[in-house]
Amino acid sequence: MQREDRSKKAPLVRRALTLILSALAIAGVVAPFIGQEVASAAPVTAVTFVPGSNLANATSTWTVGFTSSAAGALAAPNTISVQFGPGFILPPTPAVTFASGFTGTCAAGSGATAGQVITITLTSSCVLANSAAATVTIAGVTNPGAGSYPGGGFGVSTTKDSVAPPAGNIVIGPTAVTGVTFAPASSVPSANTTYTVGFTTSASGALSTGNTITVAFAAGFTVPASPPVTFASGFTGVCTGTTTGVKAGQSVVITLSGTCALGNSTAGSVTIGTITNNVAGSYAANTFSVATSQDVTPAHPSLPVVIGSSPSAVTFTPGSNLTGALSTWTIGFTPSATGALASTNTISVTFAAGFGLPPTPTVATGTGFTGTCTGTTASTTGQVVKLTLAGAGCALAASTAGTVTIAGITNPAAATYPANAFSVATSQDPAPANPASPVVINAVANTPTGVTFVPGVAVATATSTWTVGFTPSASGALIAPNTITVTFDTGFAIPATPTVTFASGFTGTCTGTTAGATAGQVVTITLSGTCALAASTAATLTIAGITNPVAGTYPANTFSVATSKDTTAASPATAVVIAPVGAASAATTTITAVPTVITANGTSTSTITVQAKDASGTNLSTSGGPVTLATTLGTLSAVTDNGNGTYTATLTSSATAGTATVSGTINAVAITSTATVTFSATAAPDATKTTISASPTSIVANGTSTSTITVQAKDSSGTNLTTGGATVTLATTRGTLSAVTDHANGTYTATLTSSTTAGTATISGTINAATITSTATVTFTATTVTLAQGPPTSATVPFPAGFSGQLTVTNATGAVAYAETSSPSSG
């Protein structure tokens, strides 16, 4: 009977114990949870509680993480119990999702709340493996007031695993208002004005009688002891009892009275009168703030408060408005009547988000500015380029339109960018002003430009290296493994893997790209390594081993360049001409003039010479066909065909000074080369009268002795010229010559240094490309040592100290014993 009574009492004891534990769990004294059956003594691990918002009184979705024990696998209908600390408000049936770690079908559902515990039941085929990290989300949890809540009041357990808390405390932060604005009725410096201050309360920041609003102004603004206050918008009830604020340093504290109220998440504004503005300037947003007794964290406006005038007539003009283009922008503006700028003043130019601004852009002042502004510099912060004027007298007068240029701006994607995203302000006109119109960036046609095909040899059947030039578009920058495809006319023979070099424009290491792959008439070149070509950058590459077809003119549209970025092929502007073997080429034929400077007296002359060359640049030795010449100044004689590949004509000066450009044709094709002759207002040098002299005329042949070579320019009457400016060259048959110095007085000098062997140096020269008739000679003499008698059968003859060069040894009678060229170390 006693055993039977005990068996009847056992369920009652267990039920009582369950109720006691449940009550303790609800009170946060112990943590497992109502109805929890724990088969394993092991707790869950790695427990985390992460709020969607950690602000006081916010209603948020929480992500709760944990890892099951080695025997803690879960399957339907097992449960997960999540306990929140005291103060957190849990919905009766919160929305729950299985965020990570679970497998099978885990359709979102709801949890069941009992006190501070939410129990989540797995359904269907939802499974969590042993030792598996998992997360669940629980929506609709309302945070308590700001503070740090002990981690021991939170925990996770499951049907299989006992409870474990998170590693640290749960911190709920104070709330803050949002949408703060400060708008002065007047932005005139030192004006006594009213400010309208706007803000929006937080989700738990409702205000009522006795609550306060604290509005802080930047240092320098004068706040009166009891400024008049009105409630401009958003507030409800009767607020007339609150008519003044209380000064607290730079802050105005406003206490609500009567039935005055402002709801949660509600925009409101107040006006504060008799605030005295600071001096002109832009005052940082973080020096102004709004806080309330319910949203205690001060919040700042998003924009600075600007006191002072604005520039006007603002314009933004791009050098290129294509997307991706690297462009120079011209910024126009007019300072106010009090906004004159001078050295050390600044100009701040703001570009819309998306424009790429270099950290230290190249800038220049343009129209309107006076003085020397070459020292002006710039720096970039965010989307603002700040120019600092510098230089002697650099200035822009008040009410005077001016421009500045900013280089290296990278355009964003094609779109219309609103005018209010661009602005100009200055240190004298600190209030930003916007352009009148939006800025439009257009899409780029993906086609290279500036395509050229230039043969090394343009002669029929010759095998030649071709130089191909092109400029990628503003969005056509190339890097490895981008490709360039070069197409030749069908008459040209192209090797299967032609040798390729990158001649200009490319950066990085391009040595790994040495061969192209030919398919038909197309050579495909793949960039490798760090080889790169910037957008809008002219470049050339060479392709070797191309065999020319028969002579003829090949249409431009049968040649083209495209890239993997600029996929529309572009052709050169002109046809490609292949000349017959031995034919004169207008592209390589040269025109020269001797002399290049003559007197502008109507009688002085220069000889014009045409040297006919074939397409490979080789001089022709027979006539290359008819040649005509023309000049922009002076007169030309008839052209004489000398029958040896050269043609000559005489250019006679005009009576007025200037520069004559001589051009011509060969076989009716314009010769690429031209020659220029200067008609000088003063007497020009005459090569037949100009003299060359040397001093001294004899120096030791030791490799160090020198003689000064002097050219005296003379006119056609033999009179010394007293001005410089002529082009003088000198050459010597022995020794070495320094560069020629123009003394600007009609004389030109150079230094001749002896060789180490004896002999005579002849110095010749040209003046303005004409050969000077006069020459000079300098003798390089050997050093001679005379023996008292001899020659002996053997003797050691010491060289003079520091000697180098040729030494001749003679005996007492003057007969040469031996000669030797040596250096100071020889004996």
Side-chain angles (χ1 to χ4, degrees):
M1 290 293 293
Q2 291 177 345
R3 285 195 300 270
E4 183 179 357
D5 290 340
R6 284 197 296 270
S7 64
K8 291 180 179 179
K9 292 178 181 178
L12 296 174
V13 172
R14 285 197 296 271
R15 189 176 301 113
L17 180 60
T18 299
L19 292 172
I20 293 168
L21 290 175
S22 299
L24 291 174
I26 293 171
V29 177
V30 297
F33 312 114
I34 299 170
Q36 193 79 308
E37 297 178 10
V38 180
S40 169
V44 296
T45 57
V47 173
T48 57
F49 278 69
V50 180
S53 170
N54 69 344
L55 293 180
N57 304 308
T59 298
S60 171
T61 295
W62 285 67
T63 300
V64 178
F66 67 96
T67 298
S68 61
S69 72
L74 300 176
N78 293 156
T79 60
I80 304 163
S81 294
V82 180
Q83 176 174 313
F84 283 82
F88 287 79
I89 300 173
L90 311 181
T93 55
V96 173
T97 62
F98 296 86
S100 68
F102 296 87
T103 59
T105 301
C106 297
S110 61
T113 300
Q116 295 302 111
V117 179
I118 297 171
T119 301
I120 304 163
T121 302
L122 276 65
T123 61
S124 187
S125 62
C126 191
V127 171
L128 179 66
N130 290 326
S131 304
T135 58
V136 294
T137 67
I138 303 172
V141 177
T142 301
N143 296 340
S148 179
Y149 292 83
F154 298 78
V156 175
S157 70
T158 74
T159 304
K160 300 295 183 69
D161 294 331
S162 60
V163 67
N169 293 344
I170 304 298
V171 177
I172 300 301
T175 54
V177 299
T178 56
V180 174
T181 58
F182 278 69
S186 170
S187 61
V188 174
S190 303
N192 190 275
T193 189
T194 296
Y195 274 73
T196 299
V197 179
F199 64 95
T200 299
T201 56
S202 72
S204 59
L207 300 174
S208 60
T209 300
N211 293 152
T212 60
I213 306 166
T214 301
V215 180
F217 288 82
F221 288 76
T222 302
V223 178
S226 53
V229 172
T230 64
F231 292 83
S233 67
F235 291 83
T236 60
V238 178
C239 297
T240 53
T242 309
T243 56
T244 59
V246 178
K247 173 182 170 69
Q250 287 300 114
S251 298
V252 176
V253 179
I254 306 163
T255 302
L256 275 66
S257 64
T259 59
C260 192
L262 183 65
N264 290 326
S265 304
T266 301
S269 65
V270 296
T271 66
I272 305 173
T274 64
I275 303 294
T276 303
N277 289 339
N278 205 341
V279 297
S282 179
Y283 296 90
N286 63 8
T287 60
F288 298 81
S289 67
V290 175
T292 76
S293 52
Q294 309 306 103
D295 294 322
V296 297
T297 303
H300 309 291
S302 60
L303 298 173
V305 174
V306 179
I307 302 301
S309 52
S310 302
S312 59
V314 171
T315 58
F316 278 68
T317 306
S320 168
N321 69 344
L322 295 179
T323 180
L326 191 67
S327 175
T328 295
W329 284 68
T330 300
I331 313 301
F333 66 99
T334 299
S336 70
T338 58
L341 297 175
S343 186
T344 73
N345 291 158
T346 61
I347 305 165
S348 296
V349 181
T350 301
F351 285 82
F355 285 77
L357 311 181
T360 54
T362 300
V363 295
T365 54
T367 59
F369 287 82
T370 57
T372 302
C373 298
T374 52
T376 297
T377 58
S379 61
T380 299
T381 302
Q383 292 302 116
V384 181
V385 177
K386 186 175 185 178
L387 292 77
T388 302
L389 299 177
C394 182
L396 179 64
S399 304
T400 301
T403 60
V404 295
T405 60
I406 305 174
I409 307 293
T410 302
N411 293 343
T416 297
Y417 293 84
N420 63 8
F422 302 81
S423 67
V424 174
T426 75
S427 52
Q428 311 310 102
D429 291 326
N434 310 117
S437 304
V439 172
V440 178
I441 300 299
N442 293 326
V444 174
N446 291 321
T447 304
T449 57
V451 173
T452 57
F453 278 69
V454 179
V457 178
V459 177
T461 71
T463 298
S464 173
T465 295
W466 284 68
T467 300
V468 178
F470 68 99
T471 299
S473 71
S475 60
L478 299 175
I479 57 174
N482 294 155
T483 59
I484 305 164
T485 53
V486 181
T487 303
F488 286 83
D489 183 273
T490 55
F492 291 76
I494 306 168
T497 55
T499 300
V500 174
T501 61
F502 294 85
S504 67
F506 293 85
T507 59
T509 302
C510 298
T511 52
T513 308
T514 56
T518 301
Q521 295 304 116
V522 180
V523 179
T524 300
I525 304 155
T526 303
L527 274 63
S528 66
T530 59
C531 192
L533 178 62
S536 305
T537 301
T540 58
L541 54 84
T542 65
I543 304 174
I546 307 294
T547 301
N548 296 339
V550 298
T553 298
Y554 293 83
N557 62 7
T558 62
F559 301 81
S560 66
V561 173
T563 75
S564 52
K565 293 295 187 69
D566 295 326
T567 55
T568 302
S571 300
T574 58
V576 172
V577 178
I578 300 299
V581 176
S585 169
T588 58
T589 294
T590 59
I591 304 174
T592 56
V594 177
T596 56
V597 180
I598 58 178
T599 306
N601 56 9
T603 59
S604 297
T605 61
S606 175
T607 299
I608 308 301
T609 301
V610 177
Q611 173 63 66
K613 298 174 182 282
D614 66 15
S616 66
T618 302
N619 290 348
L620 298 187
S621 57
T622 58
S623 176
V627 167
T628 64
L629 291 174
T631 180
T632 59
L633 197 63
T635 57
L636 275 166
S637 69
V639 177
T640 299
D641 184 345
N642 300 312
N644 60 358
T646 66
Y647 304 76
T648 53
T650 300
L651 173 67
T652 303
S653 70
S654 63
T656 56
T659 299
T661 300
V662 181
S663 57
T665 66
I666 187 165
N667 294 319
V669 179
I671 299 169
T672 303
S673 170
T674 61
T676 58
V677 179
T678 300
F679 298 167
S680 174
T682 58
D686 187 329
T688 65
K689 303 295 184 180
T690 295
T691 60
I692 303 175
S693 60
S695 178
T697 58
S698 179
I699 57 178
V700 177
N702 59 3
T704 59
S705 297
T706 61
S707 175
T708 299
I709 309 303
T710 301
V711 175
Q712 175 61 65
K714 298 175 181 284
D715 64 16
S716 58
S717 65
T719 302
N720 288 350
L721 297 182
T722 58
T723 58
T727 301
V728 173
T729 65
L730 291 173
T732 181
T733 59
R734 188 180 293 270
T736 57
L737 277 165
S738 70
V740 176
T741 299
D742 182 350
H743 295 284
N745 62 358
T747 65
Y748 305 78
T749 59
T751 300
L752 173 68
T753 302
S754 68
S755 63
T756 58
T757 57
T760 299
T762 300
I763 298 90
S764 57
T766 66
I767 188 165
N768 291 333
T771 301
I772 300 171
T773 303
S774 168
T775 60
T777 58
V778 177
T779 302
F780 298 167
T781 60
T783 298
T784 301
V785 176
T786 302
L787 299 178
Q789 60 183 2
T793 56
S794 65
T796 299
V797 181
F799 286 94
F803 172 79
S804 65
Q806 182 175 328
L807 179 68
T808 301
V809 180
T810 64
N811 61 17
T813 63
V816 175
Y818 62 88
E820 182 177 353
T821 300
S822 189
S823 66
S825 61
S826 301

